[in-house]
Structures are given as C-alpha cells and as structure tokens.
C-alpha cells in the first residue's frame, strides 16, 4: 500500500557530512592508484613475499608439529593401559595448543590474518587431574591436534609447488643473463630442452633465449597468484581449527548483544524519566498550584479565579499532548492496533519532507520485531527531517523469505555515516539492530542520494 505525506516538525541526529568532510569513500579512505596493473606488480609487492615466506616456513614448522602431535598421541595411546597415558595425552594436547598460538602469530604477521584467541580452558577444581580433565574435554585442544596432523601434508604440497614455480620462473626469466655459463663451464651450448642418443636440443640462439625468458615471465607473474591460492587454504585451516568455535563465537556475540540491549533499555528509561520530570510532571505540579490559588480566590475574586481556571485548562491540554508524545515514543497504540502500515504512515505525516510509504506485508511479524522496525524507520525519517536537506523521501517495507526488509531513501545531500560511534545516530541504530541479528547498510555518497537498508529477522 502506497501513501504520500507532507510536512511536519523536525527530528533527527547523526546524519550528513561532519567537520566539513564529504561522505564515505572520499579523503583518506581512497586507495592510492598504481601506474602498473596488479598482475605486473604482484611479484614485487611485499604481500607476495610475505606469503611466499609463510609457505617456506610452513614446511619445517609442519614437520615439527606433525612429529610432536603423532609422537605424543601414539605415546599417550600406548600408555593408556597404565595411569601415565592420560596425563601424557593431555600434555600432548596442551603442547598442540601452544603450537597453535605460534601458528596464529605467524598467520597474523605474514598473512595479516586476524584470528581471535580460542576459548580458554575451564578448569573446575584444583590439582593436576582437574587440569587434565579440562584439557581432554576441550574441543579446542582436539582441533589444534587435528590442525597439526592435517597441516603437514598440505605444507609439503604447497612448499613443493611454490618453490618450483618461483625458482623456475625467475631462472627462466633471467636466462639471457646467465646462459653463457653452459658453454663456459658445462661444455654444452646452453640449457638442454631435449636429448637422446642421436641428437640434443639446446636453447642457445637469440630467438630461443627470448622465448625462454617470456615463458619465465609468465611463470613469474603467475607465481604470486598461485602462492596466494595456496595460502588461502592455510587461512581456512587457521581460521577454522585454531580460532574460537562457532558456538563460542556465538556466545560472545550474544553477550555483546545482551549488553547493548541492557544499555539501550537503561537509556530509554532515563529518557522517559527525564521527559516526565521536565515536561508533564512539571506542568502538573504547576497546574496543581494554579488550581489551589484559584480555589482561594473563588470567593473573593470570581473573575480572577475563572481566568486562572482557564489557564489551568490550557496547561492540562499541553500536559496531555506531552503524555501522548511520550507514549508514542514508548510504543504507539496505532502500531499495536493496525500494524506497520498505519504506524509508518503516521510517522511519515510528521516528517518535514513529503514521504512516499509502501508496505507490502501479507502478515504481521512478531510484536518485538514490528516495534524495532517502526522505531528504525522513525529515527531514519527524523534524520532526514533534520540533516538531509532533501526534497522527498520514500519508505519501502517488504518480506524476503525469513527476513523483514526496510529501505529508506532520500534525495538529500548524502554523507550519512554509520561509523560515527559514540552510541548515537546511525551507529547506535546499527548496534540496536545487531542485538536482534539485524543488519544496517548505508549507501550515502557525497551529494546524495542516500539509501539506508535495514534487515531484521522475521519472527511471526
């Protein structure tokens, strides 16, 4: 259903250019342009050499980790018939955790891969056996052992591939510089390409030397990308086996989201208390005083008392309007009674620019999700009223599978920043959405237009 609304009063915060800067994608955030394309400069970039160094170090470290893991595992399994088997196995797993910390540091330094520390051991009780039990029960310990075993064959393969491509590439590329070594010291005309009992083929004339160098150039240009593809597997192994488990990551996210919800609820309660104390409560106190004075004057000066009653009546109307606004800010009745379509239409009617609202929902989501969607659109429209300097805006609401989609667009100056921080503006709104597994995406180039999309889980 589509509706058009006009102008009203102003709201909003945290929107538009700040400190004279334009929107995202300008200034220091723009990457430095290179004269050479990525394919030609890759062999000389620091990233390529770091990744090659990572592959080179993977072989000796992989041998060390594999030898240690297999030895400790076999020793611990062999001693299980005695009391020593379990502590030895626990010590082996603890050592694998230490080697995993080394691998995370190596990946962080050479691959620039940031992997969070896995969940720590939860030792219940004191003593050696409590620690041994914690190590053996920890899934992180066994994942580190699995990494030590799986990483070794991959390290051998990636080492062989990377070293051969790198060595052959640079050797063939520089062949015009050193091919003279063969006739001087090797007693042959050049690099032998083919040979049997009857004849041999050497790369010794200018054309063959040039072709050899061109082949070496292709190898040299391709090698960094081959090494990058090899290290991609290493990234997956480190991230999947040496980082925190999905369950632990989810627990951390939920703890963070719970903190955001608690802080938001506390801030809302403080806002309500402040609005009541500074607004309606103050007016009601003044109203009670005015009525008391009117009662005292009722016998001796009826006209003055009537005038004071009229003023008190106006104060009552103002206090009622403030209470209605406060109740609308907590949870509007129209949202409960008639759903998002009518509630967003009411919000749009109070915006300072014409707003086109279209809600395409066959059913209503859960009340909590419906309330978050309402306040999300309300805050975005408040931002448009105060900061966007727009001529018109649109609000679209629809359902996509198990997600509720909201999109607010305006033709204003742009420059909306979702990374403002400080818990306010678009950053605060993004945190609130994240608390319920929602997403806020801001597309607001300098000069506009601005398109802000919010995605919420559909909980019917």
């Amino acid at each position: 259903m589509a509706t058009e609304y006009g102008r009203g009063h102003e709201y909003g915060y945290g929107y538009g250019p700040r400190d004279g800067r334009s929107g995202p994608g300008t200034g220091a955030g723009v990457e430095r342009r290179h004269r050479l394309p990525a394919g030609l400069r890759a062999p000389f970039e620091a990233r390529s050499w770091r990744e090659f160094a990572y592959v080179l170090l993977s072989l000796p470290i992989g041998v060390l980790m594999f030898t240690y893991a297999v030895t400790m595992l076999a020793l611990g399994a062999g001693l299980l018939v005695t009391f020593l088997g379990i502590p030895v196995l626990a010590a082996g797993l603890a050592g694998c955790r230490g080697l995993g910390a080394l691998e995370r540091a190596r990946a962080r330094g050479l691959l620039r891969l940031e992997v969070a520390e896995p969940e720590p051991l939860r030792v219940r009780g004191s003593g050696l056996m409590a620690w041994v039990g914690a190590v053996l029960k920890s899934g992180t310990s066994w994942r580190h052992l699995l990494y030590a075993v799986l990483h070794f064959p991959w390290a051998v393969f990636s080492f062989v591939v990377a070293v051969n491509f790198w060595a052959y590439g640079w050797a063939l590329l520089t062949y015009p510089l050193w091919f003279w070594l063969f006739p001087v010291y090797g007693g042959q005309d050049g690099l032998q390409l083919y040979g049997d009992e009857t004849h041999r083929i050497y790369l010794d004339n200018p054309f063959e030397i040039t072709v050899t160098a061109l082949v070496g150039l292709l190898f040299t240009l391709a090698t960094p990308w081959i090494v990058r593809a090899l290290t991609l597997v290493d990234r997956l192994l480190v991230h999947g086996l040496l980082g925190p488990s999905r369950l632990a990551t989810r627990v951390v996210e939920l703890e963070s989201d719970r903190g955001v919800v608690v802080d938001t609820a506390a801030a809302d309660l403080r806002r309500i208390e402040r609005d009541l104390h500074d607004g309606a409560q103050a007016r009601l106190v003044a109203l009670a005083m005015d009525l008391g004075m009117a009662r005292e004057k009722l016998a001796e000066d009826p006209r003055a008392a009537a005038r004071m009653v009229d003023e008190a009546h106006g104060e009552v109307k103002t206090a009622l309007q403030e209470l209605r606004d406060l109740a609308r800010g907590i949870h509007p009745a129209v949202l409960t009674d008639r759903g998002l379509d009518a509630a967003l239409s009411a919000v749009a009617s109070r915006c300072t620019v014409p707003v086109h609202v279209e809600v395409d929902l066959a059913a209503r989501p859960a009340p909590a999700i419906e309330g978050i969607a309402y306040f999300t659109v309300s805050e975005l429209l408040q931002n448009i009223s105060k900061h966007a300097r727009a001529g018109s805006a649109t609000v679209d609401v629809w359902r996509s599978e198990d997600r509720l989609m909201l999109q607010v667009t305006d033709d204003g100056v742009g420059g909306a920043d979702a990374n403002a921080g400080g818990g306010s503006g678009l950053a605060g709104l993004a945190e609130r959405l994240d608390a319920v597994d929602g997403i806020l995406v801001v597309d607001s180039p300098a000069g506009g237009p601005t398109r802000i999309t919010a995605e919420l889980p559909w909980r019917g």
Side-chain angles (χ1 to χ4, degrees):
M1 180 176 181
T3 316
E4 193 79 23
Y5 297 92
R7 303 176 66 87
H9 59 279
E10 294 185 0
Y11 296 89
Y13 57 86
Y15 188 96
R18 303 192 313 279
D19 303 328
R21 297 190 299 250
S22 59
T26 62
V30 180
E31 294 183 358
R32 181 171 58 89
R33 294 183 179 180
H34 296 274
R35 295 183 178 180
L36 291 177
L40 294 179
R41 67 174 185 269
F44 309 100
E45 287 184 330
R47 176 182 177 180
S48 300
W49 290 99
R50 289 197 310 267
E51 291 171 342
F52 184 60
Y54 183 90
V55 172
L56 292 181
L57 291 174
S58 291
L59 181 61
I61 294 178
V63 171
L64 172 64
M65 294 181 62
F66 182 82
T67 304
Y68 173 83
V70 172
T71 301
M72 296 300 292
L73 182 62
L75 182 61
L79 293 176
L80 282 178
V81 294
T82 67
F83 177 75
L84 296 176
I86 295 178
V88 169
L89 184 58
L93 293 176
C96 289
R97 291 177 70 109
L99 293 174
L102 172 64
E103 281 294 273
R104 286 192 298 272
R106 188 166 69 97
R108 189 180 305 113
L110 296 178
L111 299 182
R112 299 295 189 262
L113 176 63
E114 294 295 335
V115 179
E117 296 291 328
E119 56 272 22
L121 286 176
R122 299 182 180 272
V123 182
R124 298 180 179 179
S126 58
L128 176 62
M129 295 311 300
W131 177 84
V132 169
V135 172
L136 294 177
K137 292 178 182 178
S138 173
T140 301
S141 302
W142 294 99
R143 285 190 285 113
H144 280 65
L145 174 65
L146 181 62
Y147 175 86
V149 174
L150 295 180
H151 181 254
F152 171 66
W154 176 252
V156 173
F157 174 78
S158 58
F159 179 88
V160 172
V161 172
V163 169
N164 276 279
F165 269 89
W166 206 281
Y168 277 104
W170 285 101
L172 295 178
L173 177 62
T174 59
Y175 182 62
L177 302 177
W178 58 270
F179 79 97
W180 54 269
L181 293 175
F182 286 97
V184 174
Y185 297 103
Q188 60 186 44
D189 295 334
L191 185 66
Q192 183 174 327
L193 182 64
Y194 173 79
D196 56 22
E197 296 180 355
T198 59
H199 59 278
R200 295 175 177 83
I201 298 178
Y202 296 101
L203 303 176
D204 55 355
N205 62 61
F207 174 77
E208 293 173 345
I209 294 174
T210 303
V211 171
T212 301
L214 292 177
V215 173
L217 177 63
L218 294 178
F219 272 69
T220 303
L221 295 178
T223 298
W225 305 101
I226 294 174
V227 174
R228 192 159 300 172
L230 295 173
T231 57
L232 178 61
V233 178
D234 289 282
R235 293 173 185 269
L236 295 176
L237 287 174
V238 172
H239 188 274
L241 296 178
L242 300 184
S245 64
R246 291 184 177 181
L247 178 59
T249 303
R250 184 58 178 163
V251 169
V252 173
E253 291 177 355
L254 291 177
E255 290 177 349
S256 176
D257 293 344
R258 182 183 62 183
V260 172
V261 171
V262 171
D263 293 341
T264 301
D268 290 339
L269 288 175
R270 289 193 299 269
R271 176 181 58 82
I272 294 171
E273 190 276 335
R274 183 178 64 250
D275 292 343
L276 285 173
H277 183 271
D278 298 340
Q281 181 179 346
R283 291 188 181 278
L284 291 175
V285 171
L287 174 62
M289 295 175 62
D290 291 343
L291 289 176
M293 295 174 62
R295 183 180 60 183
E296 294 177 356
K297 289 181 176 292
L298 185 61
E300 59 185 41
D301 191 356
R303 290 186 177 181
R307 186 174 61 254
M308 296 179 69
V309 170
D310 289 338
E311 293 176 356
H313 185 260
E315 288 293 322
V316 168
K317 290 182 177 180
T318 304
L320 287 175
Q321 182 60 42
E322 290 181 353
L323 289 175
R324 291 192 188 99
D325 293 339
L326 182 61
R328 187 185 299 115
I330 298 173
H331 193 86
V334 65
L335 178 62
T336 303
D337 298 337
R338 300 174 58 188
L340 274 175
D341 194 357
L344 294 182
S345 299
V347 172
S349 66
R350 299 190 297 272
C351 189
T352 60
V353 301
V355 181
H356 178 79
V357 178
E358 185 168 352
V359 178
D360 183 14
L361 295 177
R364 295 179 63 174
I369 299 300
E370 198 173 50
I372 294 174
Y374 168 81
F375 287 110
T376 298
V377 175
S378 178
E379 291 195 29
L380 293 177
L381 290 180
Q382 290 171 11
N383 290 345
I384 292 175
S385 297
K386 186 174 181 180
H387 300 282
R389 287 180 281 174
S392 63
T394 60
V395 176
D396 294 308
V397 182
W398 72 97
R399 179 179 179 178
S400 177
E401 296 179 353
D402 61 343
R403 308 293 284 181
L404 176 63
M405 308 297 296
L406 316 169
Q407 189 171 86
V408 179
T409 307
D410 69 76
D411 58 358
V413 296
D417 187 3
N419 299 314
S424 63
L426 294 175
L429 189 58
E431 290 180 355
R432 294 190 181 193
L433 293 180
D434 185 63
V436 292
D437 291 336
I439 301 173
L440 186 72
V441 179
V442 179
D443 179 15
S444 182
T450 295
R451 179 181 291 104
I452 301 179
T453 305
E455 182 179 330
L456 290 166
W458 180 275
R459 296 169 184 168

